[in-house]
Amino acid sequence: MNAISPGLNVAAAARAAIRLPWPSLLGPLAVADAEVLDELGRTRSVPEGRSIFERGTPARSLVGLIEGQAACGWNQPERGLSAERVLHGPAWLALGDPLGDGQHRSDAVAQSAVQLVELPVEPLRSAVLRHPLLGLRLIDALAREVGRLDGRLHELMHKDAGSRLAAWLCAQAEGRTQGVLRLSERKRDIASQLGMTPETLSRMMRSLSERGLIAVSGYTVRVLDPRGLQGLAEA
Amino acid sequence: MNAISPGLNVAAAARAAIRLPWPSLLGPLAVADAEVLDELGRTRSVPEGRSIFERGTPARSLVGLIEGQAACGWNQPERGLSAERVLHGPAWLALGDPLGDGQHRSDAVAQSAVQLVELPVEPLRSAVLRHPLLGLRLIDALAREVGRLDGRLHELMHKDAGSRLAAWLCAQAEGRTQGVLRLSERKRDIASQLGMTPETLSRMMRSLSERGLIAVSGYTVRVLDPRGLQGLAEA
DNA sequence: CGCGGCCTTGAGTTTACTCAAGGGAGGTGG
DNA sequence: CCACCTCCCTTGAGTAAACTCAAGGCCGCG
């Protein structure tokens, strides 16, 4: 992965227009377009546990997660953050909010030390006028975001907790060797993303393993019956 | 509203490049850009009750609803369509799906006679390369879509049925005179959009009127206590 | 008048939540 | 090396929210 090496001085990197991993964020780009983005983007690092942006504050830049793990959700005072989404770089942390009404609608916190890139919206809009291909790529990225949100909405409206977990496990198992997967987030965060409580997640996990669909051991889950799981996921 | 007059021959209208209501769909546009869209767009009308597009079929065009009422959702055999969204033109019926993976993820049916405009994706992409401002407008439209979906996701995850209804009523009452509003959809469709059953919607309506927040009479709802309602909506 | 949709209401059930208690893993200090 | 603390996950019991099913009423239409 062509991420910035951790020790590098960040400001210097930005000035020197170090190549950032745009293809992972936006898809294939012409060299000239990538250079425009390199020019526009400013990198930033945030240590583990710190806030990346806050709900209600102005969103003047697209925020991309280059490396590390971060969570988006609602931060409630004295109750911690209920993660609606956990991301591993490279991925967009804020795309719709800055391009839309200009206000962050969620809180984001770093769950490990993270490297970010921020693209100021207004200069980006100007750049799109001069480099229309960038516009297409942004359109694609937003369309993917719409698809993702649409899928989650469907799930939440029409599936029960068991099906949602099954669907999530199937998605995670995609492309994994032998259906063995290690959970990289706290279970409470997984639960939160799936719209259930940690207690319910725990019970559902047990239920699935009692039915022989999966085997759970701590943070390791082995999918024993992918087809059965898929069947449940579609119920 | 500059919609096509109902009697007009549709194919002729398309050929003559009749001005379609692009500003309502995409925001302010240069004349040249609107003409490009007029050139690209094909109008179509669908009579009441008929399908507009179907889940799982290829989505090769953006679909805009120019006039009339339509519903998007999942059409289940012998159970009717559970509306996840009811639209009154002008509005986008399909935006993310055609620009994204190219498959319709929902069914759409006309709830009145409707006028549509379809913009084929590939020619549109080419047009964006030549008219970058179109790209910006599409980006804005998609960002609004992301915002809308994000809001609904939050609501579904964190609010109970009463709060969701209160929020919906507040949104509907926005800008209405004296908080009197006539429901333009069947209550079962409203319920469906809010992620609850018709029975639950009915009980919630009663609960709100018993508490003096609204007065309900058939399809007419009068908002008696907007602030109280808003308070509930945020709970 | 009778019919078919649609909404409402009630009764009973299911699902998932809350609250509270217990157990395991990892880190720290004596 | 062990005791202890903390954080997290698990489990159980009780509860609350919303669903399903079934019956009844209203309204518009033929």
Side-chain angles (χ1 to χ4, degrees):
Chain A
M1 197 115 309
N2 46 356
I4 290 185
S5 74
L8 208 56
N9 177 295
V10 171
R15 257 185 274 115
I18 289 283
R19 209 58 189 288
L20 293 170
W22 301 116
S24 309
L25 292 170
L26 286 172
L29 280 178
V31 173
D33 292 335
E35 283 172 357
V36 169
L37 293 176
D38 277 339
E39 186 70 26
L40 241 47
R42 289 295 172 262
T43 58
R44 192 179 131 207
S45 39
V46 174
E48 177 171 347
R50 298 296 259 287
S51 163
I52 295 172
F53 52 76
E54 274 153 36
R55 192 164 91 245
T57 59
R60 290 191 244 275
S61 301
L62 274 58
V63 183
L65 177 62
I66 296 173
E67 193 173 288
Q69 178 175 321
C72 297
W74 279 46
N75 214 343
Q76 275 154 326
E78 299 308 319
R79 296 268 296 256
L81 176 133
S82 78
E84 293 182 0
R85 201 175 162 207
V86 174
L87 294 160
H88 306 258
W92 288 109
L93 263 177
L95 195 60
D97 289 353
L99 288 170
D101 61 8
Q103 284 242 328
H104 282 297
R105 232 186 299 266
S106 337
D107 299 295
V109 304
Q111 296 195 318
S112 69
V114 300
Q115 281 285 339
L116 307 173
V117 57
E118 302 191 324
L119 281 173
V121 170
E122 286 315 322
L124 180 61
R125 284 183 193 274
S126 312
V128 165
L129 289 177
R130 282 172 286 118
H131 301 263
L133 192 58
L134 283 183
L136 284 187
R137 292 294 169 253
L138 275 173
I139 287 170
D140 292 340
L142 282 162
R144 280 192 294 276
E145 189 79 355
V146 169
R148 190 184 62 76
L149 289 169
D150 216 57
R152 292 192 57 179
L153 203 53
H154 273 293
E155 255 184 13
L156 221 46
M157 287 185 52
H158 300 302
K159 290 181 181 173
D160 62 16
S163 297
R164 295 204 299 276
L165 174 56
W168 186 86
L169 287 169
C170 285
Q172 298 294 310
E174 279 294 299
R176 280 297 197 305
T177 60
Q178 286 298 324
V180 177
L181 55 97
R182 272 202 79 72
L183 309 181
S184 62
E185 315 151 32
R186 294 182 304 178
K187 291 188 178 171
R188 61 172 35 159
D189 288 329
I190 296 172
S192 184
Q193 287 176 82
L194 294 174
M196 63 186 83
T197 59
E199 292 95 329
T200 299
L201 176 67
S202 183
R203 288 185 246 272
M204 291 299 152
M205 285 280 206
R206 183 153 51 103
S207 155
L208 290 181
S209 45
E210 276 168 0
R211 282 190 275 172
L213 295 169
I214 61 175
V216 185
S217 164
Y219 280 79
T220 304
V221 178
R222 179 194 308 263
V223 177
L224 302 175
D225 179 358
R227 321 231 352 210
L229 210 56
Q230 188 66 43
L232 257 191
E234 282 156 16
Chain B
M1 199 117 310
N2 47 355
I4 289 184
S5 76
L8 210 55
N9 177 297
V10 171
R15 255 184 276 116
I18 288 284
R19 208 62 186 289
L20 293 170
W22 301 117
S24 309
L25 292 170
L26 286 171
L29 282 179
V31 172
D33 291 335
E35 284 171 356
V36 169
L37 293 177
D38 277 338
E39 187 69 28
L40 241 47
R42 288 295 172 258
T43 57
R44 191 179 133 206
S45 40
V46 174
E48 177 172 347
R50 298 296 258 287
S51 164
I52 296 173
F53 53 75
E54 274 151 36
R55 191 163 92 246
T57 60
R60 290 191 244 276
S61 300
L62 273 57
V63 183
L65 176 64
I66 297 174
E67 193 174 287
Q69 178 174 321
C72 298
W74 281 45
N75 214 342
Q76 274 154 327
E78 298 308 319
R79 295 267 297 254
L81 178 134
S82 78
E84 291 182 0
R85 200 174 161 207
V86 173
L87 293 161
H88 305 259
W92 288 109
L93 263 176
L95 195 59
D97 289 354
L99 288 170
D101 60 8
Q103 285 240 329
H104 283 296
R105 233 185 297 266
S106 338
D107 299 295
V109 303
Q111 296 195 318
S112 69
V114 300
Q115 282 286 340
L116 307 172
V117 58
E118 302 191 324
L119 281 173
V121 170
E122 286 315 320
L124 180 62
R125 283 183 193 276
S126 313
V128 165
L129 289 177
R130 282 173 287 118
H131 301 263
L133 191 57
L134 283 183
L136 283 187
R137 292 295 169 252
L138 274 173
I139 287 171
D140 292 340
L142 281 162
R144 280 191 294 273
E145 189 79 353
V146 169
R148 189 184 62 77
L149 289 168
D150 215 57
R152 292 191 56 179
L153 204 52
H154 273 294
E155 257 186 12
L156 221 45
M157 287 185 52
H158 300 304
K159 290 182 182 174
D160 62 15
S163 298
R164 296 204 300 277
L165 175 56
W168 187 87
L169 287 168
C170 286
Q172 299 294 312
E174 279 294 300
R176 281 296 196 305
T177 59
Q178 286 299 327
V180 177
L181 55 98
R182 271 202 81 71
L183 310 181
S184 61
E185 315 151 32
R186 292 183 305 177
K187 290 187 178 172
R188 61 175 29 159
D189 288 329
I190 297 171
S192 184
Q193 287 176 81
L194 294 174
M196 63 186 83
T197 58
E199 293 95 328
T200 300
L201 176 67
S202 183
R203 290 184 244 272
M204 291 300 153
M205 285 280 206
R206 185 152 51 104
S207 155
L208 290 181
S209 45
E210 276 168 1
R211 282 189 274 171
L213 295 169
I214 62 175
V216 185
S217 162
Y219 279 80
T220 305
V221 178
R222 178 195 308 265
V223 176
L224 301 174
D225 181 356
R227 322 227 356 204
L229 210 56
Q230 188 65 42
L232 256 191
E234 282 155 17

